[in-house]
Structures are given as C-alpha cells and as structure tokens.
Amino acid sequence: MEVDDLGVVTEAHVLLHRAGMLRETTGNASVLFAWERIGGSALNAADRVWARAMAEQARALDVPLRAQFIVHARGGRQLHPDDYL
C-alpha cells in the first residue's frame, strides 16, 4: 500500500509505525495488540502470518511490542513467538 508520509509499505508497517508514534506521544513503555476474530482459540495460518509480520515490523521500527492476543468467541489467547515464528 502507498501512504503519503511513508511511501509504499505493508499494512503491518503502517500499523506499527502509527502505534510507535502513539506510544511515544503518550509516554507509554510498549504496545500490545489484541486481534478480535470469529472462531475458537486454535490459531490458523492467517493468524500466524499477521502475528509474524507485526513482530518483524516491531523489531524493524524499534517499537517495543509487549504482547499479541487473539480474542475469539470463547475468550482470549496470548500469542507467543513459538506460535508464529
């Protein structure tokens, strides 16, 4: 995708860039993401791809990513690097 201030970048890049800006503006130490979706707690390929992309962009942009979660029909599940790397 093309973004005026970033050029041609991935959606993960845009999201992490913006989250990093918000973190700095608010003085918070880190960010976390909760991905809400329909379904159960089992991870699917799309979950893994998205979580991996977010972790990679967090490292590339030096944005402290504390955690990622899947929020599903029966509750929530924290994603760990072993789940998506």
Side-chain angles (χ1 to χ4, degrees), residues 12 15-16 19-20 23 28-35 50-69 78-81 84-85:
L15 188 52
L16 253 302
R23 183 193 66 81
N28 288 298
S30 61
V31 299
L32 69 80
F33 291 102
W35 309 110
W50 189 244
R52 184 178 317 114
M54 297 305 289
E56 289 170 358
Q57 288 303 307
R59 282 190 298 277
L61 295 170
D62 199 27
V63 175
L65 178 59
R66 182 170 179 92
Q68 297 186 71
F69 296 86
Q78 184 174 357
L79 300 177
H80 300 282
Y84 55 82
L85 294 181

Side-chain angles (χ1 to χ4, degrees), residues 6-30:
L6 300 174
V8 177
V9 294
T10 65
E11 290 87 355
H13 183 94
V14 174
L15 188 52
L16 253 302
H17 182 267
R18 301 298 191 247
M21 290 173 56
L22 286 169
R23 183 193 66 81
E24 288 179 15
T25 300
T26 58
N28 288 298
S30 61

Side-chain angles (χ1 to χ4, degrees), residues 1 27 37 78:
M1 72 184 308
R37 61 154 169 74
Q78 184 174 357

